[in-house]
Amino acid sequence: MKTIITLFLTALFLSLQAQQPDRRLYNVLKPLLDAHHGDAGVYVQHLKTGRTVAINADTVFPTASMIKIPILAGVFKRIGEGGLQYRQLLTYRDSLLYEGEDLLGSFRDSQQITLDKVVMLMLTMSDNTASLWLQSLAGGGAVINEWLAQQGFEHTRVNSRTKGREENRRIYGWGQTTPREMATLMKRIYKGEVVSKAGSERMYRNLTRNYWDTEGVLMIPPGIRTASKNGAVDESRSEVLMVNAPHGDYVYCIITKNNKDQGWNRDNEAWQLLRKVGAAIWHHYEPDSKWVPDPGMGQY
């Protein structure tokens, strides 16, 4: 009987703890976001305790390239249905080109590439030509949005090249989300809850290979596994991270919009905010860690 009571009280304590916001971390992050010249929101969850920080976490923000995570889910949904094969051979056409610096956009017309490598380009390099191709292969923005709604995501939507979303695209660009919803989608991929357990694991492994790692990811020791996707347009910078930390996994998403500083130098105010927030969360959960990025990393 004593053991049963102990287990019950432990479960009750953990349940109550999970329902409570992390006030200490909130008090660290709130001044950082308040000082930003623009709008900023963040959602943080420690998976072991369930405790959270939510600051403007349900405000709708532009996704920029973070929309590639919902596109990724849409592609794996089609694979699960048998409409695509992960390593099937695709033929690139010049009509797919999205003007920019994309690797896929340098392909010759009729050149072939497997779908898994197109996925890699979308996530690792944030290749826009690859992303729009995959959006189409997933059935288009409307199909992806229908799946998002079915999964309980109220605000996360694809806007670009999606009929009926023209006004949303004018306001938010390619896609829109909230910090809470984007962090939740990343968490569900990690936990094996998107499409299938095997599909989720493949998605998560792909998300651990981000070329663009000079903001929040840079504030995590290189020996710690992270999965991430970031976004950047003139007026908005954003990032979602899952960190497999020693004292428990945690996920967070930070998004900004209406940024006063719209420069593209490393010292852009929003990018500095992303680094400060990433460092603050890491040291909050890993207080004994003395690790900080080598200042010389700023040149890379």
Side-chain angles (χ1 to χ4, degrees), residues 250-277:
Y250 65 88
V251 64
Y252 76 91
C253 178
I254 176 169
I255 317 180
T256 69
K257 63 180 179 180
N258 301 319
N259 295 345
K260 182 178 180 181
D261 181 356
Q262 299 188 8
W264 289 88
N265 295 324
R266 179 178 168 78
D267 63 355
N268 171 274
E269 184 190 29
W271 276 336
Q272 292 189 62
L273 174 63
L274 267 56
R275 294 185 200 106
K276 291 175 183 177
V277 165

Side-chain angles (χ1 to χ4, degrees), residues 11-22:
L12 179 63
F13 171 76
L14 291 174
S15 176
L16 292 172
Q17 184 183 46
Q19 296 173 25
Q20 296 177 359
D22 190 327

Side-chain angles (χ1 to χ4, degrees), residues 96-153:
L96 295 166
L97 176 65
Y98 184 92
E99 294 289 348
E101 299 180 357
D102 295 337
L103 292 177
L104 191 58
S106 67
F107 273 38
R108 300 185 305 274
D109 187 78
S110 299
Q111 195 166 347
Q112 294 187 310
I113 184 172
T114 53
L115 185 143
D116 61 316
K117 292 179 180 177
V118 179
V119 169
M120 179 275 292
L121 288 171
M122 175 178 75
L123 298 179
T124 301
M125 300 302 299
S126 208
D127 190 299
N128 289 325
T129 299
S131 306
L132 288 170
W133 193 3
L134 290 169
Q135 178 177 318
S136 176
L137 290 170
V143 171
I144 296 170
N145 289 343
E146 181 180 4
W147 179 83
L148 287 164
Q150 291 171 349
Q151 299 302 309
F153 294 100

Side-chain angles (χ1 to χ4, degrees), residues 74 91 93 108 122 131 169 186 205 208 214 253 259 270 294:
T91 302
R93 297 295 183 186
R108 300 185 305 274
M122 175 178 75
S131 306
R169 182 183 181 185
M186 176 69 90
R205 287 177 179 273
T208 64
T214 55
C253 178
N259 295 345
D294 190 301

